[in-house]
Amino acid sequence: MSELKIFLGPPGAGKGTQAIKIASEFGLAHISTGDMLREHISNKTDLGKIAKSVIDEGQLVSDDLVIEMLVVRLGSDDCKNGAILDGFPRTLPQAKSLEDIKNEFPVSKVFVFEVDEEELVQRILLRGETSGRSDDTEESIKVRFEIYTQDTEPLIDFYNQQDKIFKINAVGDIDEIYQNIVNHFN
Ligand code: B4P
């Protein structure tokens, strides 16, 4: 049985930043569906060609494609000790797809990253100056926030009903936020 921890939060909340550090600390796989999709785009795969314009507009890639990509990834050897899911699930159908594999990959905890919108916009625009990410634009950010509220935020209720939510104040010093997650990780 390989437990999954989910990092949930709006774009720019620091999920990726913390997931890399925590995965290394606990010897878990770090699975970022955003990173995987960007890799498909740069390798110009069929999935990458579909995903490119969707991501640039700030929309979500279709559930079927992302779910299939994730399930294949979970089959890798490095997921045997468990994994951190960074950016998945983002919709109810995605969350339900994890229920289908819960005997092998149960979700044990969901960390919700809380940051106010003004701070998020600043972070993403700052990152956009150096990352070269074509979705870090004001236009795309607006759509990404709307989609977060509409499609992803309801997952907090979904996992609250299973008593799996732990809220993290994700504003402030990166090392302090990291320590707070470590203290409540298991
Ligand atoms: P992601 O790659 O997941 O992008 P994101 O939501 O913007 O989060 P990200 O990980 O980049 O931000 P982070 O909080 O780490 O997704 C990109 C796109 O891919 C989506 O819009 C969607 O189109 C598609 N996609 C991905 N998953 C999908 C799915 N499951 N279903 C459908 N489509 C999917 O970091 C933000 C910045 O803040 C960084 O620059 C960091 O340095 C900085 N930062 C972090 N912590 C900080 C702190 N404490 N103080 C100040 N700055 C901080």
Side-chain angles (χ1 to χ4, degrees), residues 13-28:
K15 307 178 294 285
T17 308
Q18 297 294 341
I20 293 169
K21 287 159 73 80
I22 301 272
S24 144
E25 170 79 24
F26 289 91
L28 305 172

PDB file of all heavy atoms in Angstrom, residues 13-28:
ATOM      1  N   ALA A  13       0.430  29.146  -4.856  1.00  0.00           N
ATOM      2  CA  ALA A  13       0.381  29.070  -3.383  1.00  0.00           C
ATOM      3  C   ALA A  13       1.640  28.474  -2.764  1.00  0.00           C
ATOM      4  O   ALA A  13       1.807  28.518  -1.546  1.00  0.00           O
ATOM      5  CB  ALA A  13      -0.846  28.278  -2.943  1.00  0.00           C
ATOM      6  N   GLY A  14       2.507  27.909  -3.595  1.00  0.00           N
ATOM      7  CA  GLY A  14       3.754  27.344  -3.067  1.00  0.00           C
ATOM      8  C   GLY A  14       3.723  25.834  -2.964  1.00  0.00           C
ATOM      9  O   GLY A  14       4.593  25.228  -2.338  1.00  0.00           O
ATOM     10  N   LYS A  15       2.751  25.193  -3.606  1.00  0.00           N
ATOM     11  CA  LYS A  15       2.630  23.725  -3.550  1.00  0.00           C
ATOM     12  C   LYS A  15       3.895  23.069  -4.108  1.00  0.00           C
ATOM     13  O   LYS A  15       4.466  22.187  -3.495  1.00  0.00           O
ATOM     14  CB  LYS A  15       1.426  23.231  -4.370  1.00  0.00           C
ATOM     15  CG  LYS A  15       0.114  23.892  -4.038  1.00  0.00           C
ATOM     16  CD  LYS A  15      -1.021  23.386  -4.935  1.00  0.00           C
ATOM     17  CE  LYS A  15      -0.876  23.755  -6.407  1.00  0.00           C
ATOM     18  NZ  LYS A  15      -1.170  25.151  -6.742  1.00  0.00           N
ATOM     19  N   GLY A  16       4.292  23.537  -5.289  1.00  0.00           N
ATOM     20  CA  GLY A  16       5.469  22.948  -5.939  1.00  0.00           C
ATOM     21  C   GLY A  16       6.728  23.172  -5.112  1.00  0.00           C
ATOM     22  O   GLY A  16       7.524  22.248  -4.911  1.00  0.00           O
ATOM     23  N   THR A  17       6.877  24.395  -4.618  1.00  0.00           N
ATOM     24  CA  THR A  17       8.054  24.761  -3.816  1.00  0.00           C
ATOM     25  C   THR A  17       8.201  23.817  -2.624  1.00  0.00           C
ATOM     26  O   THR A  17       9.276  23.287  -2.348  1.00  0.00           O
ATOM     27  CB  THR A  17       7.876  26.210  -3.282  1.00  0.00           C
ATOM     28  OG1 THR A  17       7.575  27.060  -4.386  1.00  0.00           O
ATOM     29  CG2 THR A  17       9.093  26.706  -2.532  1.00  0.00           C
ATOM     30  N   GLN A  18       7.100  23.583  -1.907  1.00  0.00           N
ATOM     31  CA  GLN A  18       7.154  22.748  -0.706  1.00  0.00           C
ATOM     32  C   GLN A  18       7.201  21.263  -1.055  1.00  0.00           C
ATOM     33  O   GLN A  18       7.890  20.489  -0.381  1.00  0.00           O
ATOM     34  CB  GLN A  18       5.931  23.029   0.194  1.00  0.00           C
ATOM     35  CG  GLN A  18       5.879  24.456   0.733  1.00  0.00           C
ATOM     36  CD  GLN A  18       7.016  24.782   1.702  1.00  0.00           C
ATOM     37  OE1 GLN A  18       7.657  23.890   2.262  1.00  0.00           O
ATOM     38  NE2 GLN A  18       7.288  26.077   1.889  1.00  0.00           N
ATOM     39  N   ALA A  19       6.508  20.860  -2.120  1.00  0.00           N
ATOM     40  CA  ALA A  19       6.437  19.432  -2.456  1.00  0.00           C
ATOM     41  C   ALA A  19       7.822  18.871  -2.764  1.00  0.00           C
ATOM     42  O   ALA A  19       8.140  17.743  -2.359  1.00  0.00           O
ATOM     43  CB  ALA A  19       5.499  19.208  -3.642  1.00  0.00           C
ATOM     44  N   ILE A  20       8.656  19.649  -3.426  1.00  0.00           N
ATOM     45  CA  ILE A  20      10.009  19.172  -3.764  1.00  0.00           C
ATOM     46  C   ILE A  20      10.786  18.889  -2.486  1.00  0.00           C
ATOM     47  O   ILE A  20      11.403  17.831  -2.320  1.00  0.00           O
ATOM     48  CB  ILE A  20      10.747  20.241  -4.614  1.00  0.00           C
ATOM     49  CG1 ILE A  20      10.085  20.374  -5.981  1.00  0.00           C
ATOM     50  CG2 ILE A  20      12.233  19.897  -4.749  1.00  0.00           C
ATOM     51  CD1 ILE A  20      10.556  21.572  -6.788  1.00  0.00           C
ATOM     52  N   LYS A  21      10.725  19.824  -1.543  1.00  0.00           N
ATOM     53  CA  LYS A  21      11.492  19.675  -0.288  1.00  0.00           C
ATOM     54  C   LYS A  21      10.948  18.516   0.564  1.00  0.00           C
ATOM     55  O   LYS A  21      11.699  17.705   1.098  1.00  0.00           O
ATOM     56  CB  LYS A  21      11.407  20.982   0.535  1.00  0.00           C
ATOM     57  CG  LYS A  21      12.242  22.131  -0.044  1.00  0.00           C
ATOM     58  CD  LYS A  21      11.747  23.488   0.458  1.00  0.00           C
ATOM     59  CE  LYS A  21      12.061  23.813   1.903  1.00  0.00           C
ATOM     60  NZ  LYS A  21      13.440  24.298   2.099  1.00  0.00           N
ATOM     61  N   ILE A  22       9.638  18.457   0.681  1.00  0.00           N
ATOM     62  CA  ILE A  22       9.026  17.442   1.556  1.00  0.00           C
ATOM     63  C   ILE A  22       9.222  16.035   0.974  1.00  0.00           C
ATOM     64  O   ILE A  22       9.495  15.088   1.706  1.00  0.00           O
ATOM     65  CB  ILE A  22       7.509  17.723   1.731  1.00  0.00           C
ATOM     66  CG1 ILE A  22       7.285  19.110   2.332  1.00  0.00           C
ATOM     67  CG2 ILE A  22       6.829  16.623   2.533  1.00  0.00           C
ATOM     68  CD1 ILE A  22       7.272  19.192   3.812  1.00  0.00           C
ATOM     69  N   ALA A  23       9.097  15.915  -0.349  1.00  0.00           N
ATOM     70  CA  ALA A  23       9.260  14.592  -0.971  1.00  0.00           C
ATOM     71  C   ALA A  23      10.672  14.082  -0.711  1.00  0.00           C
ATOM     72  O   ALA A  23      10.873  12.902  -0.397  1.00  0.00           O
ATOM     73  CB  ALA A  23       8.985  14.676  -2.475  1.00  0.00           C
ATOM     74  N   SER A  24      11.641  14.981  -0.792  1.00  0.00           N
ATOM     75  CA  SER A  24      13.013  14.558  -0.567  1.00  0.00           C
ATOM     76  C   SER A  24      13.233  14.196   0.910  1.00  0.00           C
ATOM     77  O   SER A  24      13.855  13.194   1.235  1.00  0.00           O
ATOM     78  CB  SER A  24      13.936  15.674  -1.082  1.00  0.00           C
ATOM     79  OG  SER A  24      15.050  15.823  -0.303  1.00  0.00           O
ATOM     80  N   GLU A  25      12.658  14.963   1.814  1.00  0.00           N
ATOM     81  CA  GLU A  25      12.779  14.689   3.254  1.00  0.00           C
ATOM     82  C   GLU A  25      12.208  13.313   3.630  1.00  0.00           C
ATOM     83  O   GLU A  25      12.784  12.579   4.414  1.00  0.00           O
ATOM     84  CB  GLU A  25      12.042  15.803   4.029  1.00  0.00           C
ATOM     85  CG  GLU A  25      11.845  15.565   5.513  1.00  0.00           C
ATOM     86  CD  GLU A  25      13.096  15.846   6.330  1.00  0.00           C
ATOM     87  OE1 GLU A  25      13.944  16.631   5.864  1.00  0.00           O
ATOM     88  OE2 GLU A  25      13.223  15.258   7.438  1.00  0.00           O
ATOM     89  N   PHE A  26      11.051  12.961   3.046  1.00  0.00           N
ATOM     90  CA  PHE A  26      10.373  11.727   3.444  1.00  0.00           C
ATOM     91  C   PHE A  26      10.585  10.571   2.458  1.00  0.00           C
ATOM     92  O   PHE A  26       9.986   9.504   2.614  1.00  0.00           O
ATOM     93  CB  PHE A  26       8.865  11.986   3.625  1.00  0.00           C
ATOM     94  CG  PHE A  26       8.543  12.814   4.849  1.00  0.00           C
ATOM     95  CD1 PHE A  26       8.463  14.191   4.762  1.00  0.00           C
ATOM     96  CD2 PHE A  26       8.338  12.212   6.084  1.00  0.00           C
ATOM     97  CE1 PHE A  26       8.175  14.965   5.890  1.00  0.00           C
ATOM     98  CE2 PHE A  26       8.050  12.980   7.217  1.00  0.00           C
ATOM     99  CZ  PHE A  26       7.974  14.359   7.121  1.00  0.00           C
ATOM    100  N   GLY A  27      11.418  10.764   1.442  1.00  0.00           N
ATOM    101  CA  GLY A  27      11.697   9.695   0.474  1.00  0.00           C
ATOM    102  C   GLY A  27      10.475   9.290  -0.344  1.00  0.00           C
ATOM    103  O   GLY A  27      10.257   8.116  -0.617  1.00  0.00           O
ATOM    104  N   LEU A  28       9.673  10.265  -0.720  1.00  0.00           N
ATOM    105  CA  LEU A  28       8.467   9.995  -1.512  1.00  0.00           C
ATOM    106  C   LEU A  28       8.641  10.513  -2.937  1.00  0.00           C
ATOM    107  O   LEU A  28       9.482  11.386  -3.188  1.00  0.00           O
ATOM    108  CB  LEU A  28       7.258  10.715  -0.877  1.00  0.00           C
ATOM    109  CG  LEU A  28       6.986  10.403   0.592  1.00  0.00           C
ATOM    110  CD1 LEU A  28       5.902  11.314   1.132  1.00  0.00           C
ATOM    111  CD2 LEU A  28       6.587   8.937   0.739  1.00  0.00           C
TER     112      LEU A  28
END
